[in-house]
Amino acid sequence: MIHRHCSFCEAQESEENPLIAGNGVYICKNCVFSAYKIMFGDEDEKQDNKLVDAVTQLMTPKELNEFLSEYIIGQERARKLLSVAVYNHYKRIFKHDAVEDDTEIAKSNVLLVGPTGSGKTLMAQTIARVLNVPIAIADATSLTEAGYVGEDVENILTRLMQAADGDVERAQQGIVFVDEIDKISRMSENRSITRDVSGEGVQQALLKIIEGAQVNIPPKGGRKHPNQDFLQIDTSGILFICGGAFDGMTDIIQRKQGNNILGFGHDKKTKDEQEATLDMVEPDDLISYGLIPELVGRLPIIASLNEISEEDMVQILTEPKNSLVRQYKKLFAIDSVELTFEEDALSAIAAKAIKRKTGARGLRAILEEIMIDIMYELPEYGGYEVVITKEVVDSSEKPLYIKQNKQKTA
């Protein structure tokens, strides 16, 4: 009997390790596998490398906070809380084997409490950008319990899958931001005997996916039906950030502290006192507001955001990397026009936003109102400097058009 050997490793042919022959050369099964790994890589090894990269690239809380400060003005306490929560969450995923014991670290989901336009959504988007993870943003008011007209809670995860380009592993390390969470609060602490399809029922439907579970989702969204194929997602590694304005929360906190909020002798709280009150929000205050205890328990980190002041509004207009003033300057520069805002003009824009009570998100609408007529004629003013004054903002007067230090009336 002739015994053939592998030309590469000299292994003898056997049933467990057969040889492939060609041109008088032999290669065994083990060498074929080794060659494949060298040429194309091992999938398990690729996954391990991906996790190792994520560990080495994971920023410290200070680094995360510094990155957030480039896009978000103020809100120091909320930025610090979110940075620590995000760091602990991804450390829990990627470094759980660093200490050898059987202790399981619970998820550190976050609740952002603050008035509209204070930066809740921007915080979540910025964190997702720096970590390079997919993010899905959902509005809680559009969600209903399964079986009712509206959007199923599981569709949030479908959006996350789409943001991850269909990669289940990547989606399972993403971020979900649920906005307007306060709008699904029940009307009182007493349980209703009727069905509440858009309030308490939605909160209960959110419990499973927020805590961490294997969830079946329709790949393309929409309604579930029995004949449909499902994708299974493990939500234990997904960070959930919920946000809400919680209008009236300060009254609940003050009532708990024994402060009269109605009647004679009541002193109106200053803005600083109201902000300090919101910093004192506790889980039982959220339950009094209308969130169910089970949901509050799954959102252990509560960060309050303060209402934006006029001074902060001016900084938001000018300082962040993607500030509106920088965006408009770039738009004008494309048409070879230099754009300048006087300090009084920026203050007037900020004052308008404060008056409208729309927060930072209202700044864009105000600037569009001011700039629409100017941008309509913009291509005709190549080589000019356009100066926006306080009168342009307050009285809709025309800006100054300056060329070679000579003023031109538009």
Side-chain angles (χ1 to χ4, degrees), residues 201-355:
V202 176
Q203 293 187 51
Q204 292 170 347
L206 281 168
L207 293 180
K208 181 175 72 170
I209 68 170
I210 287 181
E211 182 176 21
Q214 298 285 342
V215 181
N216 292 324
I217 65 166
K220 296 181 181 178
R223 287 288 173 193
K224 289 183 177 180
H225 56 79
N227 299 326
Q228 189 177 21
D229 293 328
F230 293 107
L231 285 174
Q232 193 171 70
I233 290 186
D234 182 2
T235 64
S236 59
I238 297 173
L239 177 64
F240 283 83
I241 302 174
C242 298
F246 289 90
D247 191 28
M249 178 62 76
T250 54
D251 295 341
I252 293 173
I253 298 171
Q254 290 170 19
R255 195 179 295 117
K256 182 182 71 173
Q257 294 173 338
N259 296 337
N260 293 325
I261 59 171
L262 292 172
F264 297 105
H266 167 60
D267 294 327
K268 188 175 180 181
K269 294 279 184 182
T270 66
K271 181 183 171 184
D272 289 341
E273 288 173 328
Q274 288 176 349
E275 289 179 354
T277 302
L278 201 57
D279 287 337
M280 299 165 66
V281 63
E282 294 179 352
D284 59 330
D285 301 320
L286 298 168
I287 295 169
S288 297
Y289 193 88
L291 296 187
I292 62 176
E294 297 89 342
L295 182 60
V296 174
R298 286 163 175 78
L299 299 167
I301 299 173
I302 304 170
S304 61
L305 286 81
N306 301 323
E307 191 171 347
I308 298 172
S309 66
E310 186 175 315
E311 183 181 344
D312 289 337
M313 286 283 192
V314 173
Q315 288 182 289
I316 290 169
L317 280 168
T318 57
E319 291 186 9
K321 283 189 173 181
N322 60 341
S323 70
L324 288 171
V325 167
R326 291 188 183 186
Q327 291 181 41
Y328 277 103
K329 283 189 174 185
K330 185 171 182 178
L331 278 174
F332 276 58
I334 292 171
D335 283 316
S336 302
V337 178
E338 183 182 348
L339 176 63
T340 303
F341 285 85
E342 292 187 349
E343 288 295 326
D344 289 347
L346 293 171
S347 298
I349 293 168
K352 269 194 173 185
I354 296 288
K355 187 176 180 181

Side-chain angles (χ1 to χ4, degrees), residues 47 93 102 147 179-181 190 213 302:
Q47 182 64 22
I93 295 174
D102 56 355
D179 202 4
E180 307 289 0
I181 196 76
N190 299 320
I302 304 170

Side-chain angles (χ1 to χ4, degrees), residues 151-168:
E151 191 173 9
D152 287 348
V153 170
E154 288 82 0
N155 282 350
I156 297 174
L157 300 178
T158 302
R159 293 185 195 175
L160 189 62
M161 274 292 296
Q162 292 166 348
D165 297 323
D167 186 339
V168 176

Side-chain angles (χ1 to χ4, degrees), residues 58-61 64-65 68 78-94 108-110 123-124 126-128 130-131 133 173-175 237 239-241 301:
L58 185 57
M59 302 168 74
T60 65
L64 286 169
N65 191 19
L68 283 173
R79 282 194 278 112
K80 185 180 289 187
L81 282 170
L82 184 60
S83 299
V84 171
V86 168
Y87 177 72
N88 285 340
H89 175 77
Y90 285 101
K91 185 168 63 173
R92 162 183 169 267
I93 295 174
F94 297 126
S108 52
N109 297 311
V110 183
M123 273 194 182
T126 308
I127 280 289
V130 67
L131 294 173
V133 295
Q173 298 164 7
I175 294 174
L239 177 64
F240 283 83
I241 302 174
I301 299 173

